Amino acid sequence: MELFIYHTPEATPTDKLPDCAIVVDVLRATTTIATALDAGADSIQAFSDVDALIQVSNQWPADKRIRIGERGGQKVEGFDLGNSPLSFTPEVVAGKRVFMTTTNGTRALERVQSAQTVLTAALVNRKAIVEYLMTKMPNIVWIVGSGWEGSYSLEDTVCAGAVADEFSHEGGYPIENLAANDEVHGAIALYQQWKAQLFQLLNCASHGQRLLKLGLYDDLKYCAQLDTLEIVPIQREPSILVSSKAKTDDLHYWTE
């Protein structure tokens, strides 16, 4: 397996796609996606454009949908929820489709949606992602950080490093054989330095600082947890994510 890490969707090659793309937006889209699916959401449909989300979600019964919208860390006016993973309880989302638009994560998903397999990863479901990779062993893997409006983010890089480090350790694959670009080495080094202080790292991150100014301390604390959810969000069709715990015949359809 060849592993590439890209800090932002803008940094990815434009003339090719990997066998497996893993989108990371620790603060907070991919943490929220994993949490919503773990709470029983039917699926997540991601949009970069608010108007497109409204148009598509209007086709669904109101009692079978949840609209979540975030810009600049805050809930979009008129939406049911913002992007706090703490809001996604079984009572709120079980059996419903989540229509989602965020500042960065949904844009990253759109960039790689044509890859053969698309997953989303956060710190909370890191180990589940690694287990999927060890089972499927795709040839070319991209981990794509969502960043912040096109720029680098600490939290996405440390998560990418956490995935790479765990895969190397659990599979016995030397990093020098696994890493296909220098960003892999840098991300692993960042994770190894901060792995015992992930909450502190999220507090140092520029987007973590934005969220703290909005009073979202508990969100950061939740997003900093490692390996708490056994969920692999996987793209069933472009921009629509479901859980790997879905029924067997569905799983067969979108992992072949």
Side-chain angles (χ1 to χ4, degrees), residues 43-46 60 97 109 113-116 118 234-242 253-254:
S43 54
I44 314 286
Q45 187 163 1
W60 282 68
R97 173 164 289 192
L109 278 166
Q113 66 182 10
S114 296
Q116 181 178 341
V118 178
I234 186 166
Q235 182 175 263
R236 183 175 60 193
E237 54 188 276
S239 298
I240 298 177
L241 298 155
V242 296
Y253 169 72
W254 34 257

Side-chain angles (χ1 to χ4, degrees), residues 1-4 6 13 16-23 112-119 132-133 136-144 180 234-235 254-256:
M1 190 173 87
E2 292 183 72
L3 175 63
F4 296 80
Y6 298 102
K16 54 188 170 183
L17 285 166
D19 300 302
C20 177
I22 304 170
V23 171
V112 298
Q113 66 182 10
S114 296
Q116 181 178 341
T117 300
V118 178
L119 314 176
Y132 177 93
L133 292 176
K136 300 298 182 181
M137 288 301 292
N139 290 326
I140 306 295
V141 176
W142 293 359
I143 304 179
V144 182
I234 186 166
Q235 182 175 263
W254 34 257
T255 57
E256 280 293 295

Side-chain angles (χ1 to χ4, degrees), residues 203-218:
N203 276 263
C204 292
S206 59
H207 192 39
Q209 290 290 311
R210 292 184 196 97
L211 296 177
L212 288 173
K213 289 176 182 176
L214 295 171
L216 297 172
Y217 174 91
D218 288 340

Side-chain angles (χ1 to χ4, degrees), residues 29 33 36 61 68 87 98 104 137 152 170 194 205 209 216 220 229 238 241-242:
I33 288 168
I68 76 168
S87 301
V98 177
N104 302 294
M137 288 301 292
Y152 173 94
E170 289 298 314
W194 286 91
Q209 290 290 311
L216 297 172
L220 261 69
L229 300 179
L241 298 155
V242 296

Side-chain angles (χ1 to χ4, degrees), residues 86-164:
L86 300 177
S87 301
F88 290 80
T89 63
E91 295 77 15
V92 173
V93 301
K96 297 181 181 180
R97 173 164 289 192
V98 177
F99 295 89
M100 178 182 204
T101 181
T102 69
T103 304
N104 302 294
T106 48
R107 182 171 46 84
L109 278 166
E110 285 193 351
R111 166 65 189 94
V112 298
Q113 66 182 10
S114 296
Q116 181 178 341
T117 300
V118 178
L119 314 176
T120 66
L123 293 169
V124 293
N125 68 327
R126 183 274 305 256
K127 192 171 184 64
I129 295 296
V130 170
E131 289 175 352
Y132 177 93
L133 292 176
M134 291 180 64
T135 299
K136 300 298 182 181
M137 288 301 292
N139 290 326
I140 306 295
V141 176
W142 293 359
I143 304 179
V144 182
S146 298
W148 175 262
E149 296 182 344
S151 62
Y152 173 94
S153 66
L154 273 175
E155 67 275 8
D156 292 347
T157 302
V158 82
C159 181
V163 171

Side-chain angles (χ1 to χ4, degrees), residues 1-4 174-182 184-185:
M1 190 173 87
E2 292 183 72
L3 175 63
F4 296 80
I175 295 298
E176 56 269 25
N177 295 340
L178 182 66
N181 63 358
D182 288 349
V184 176
H185 295 284

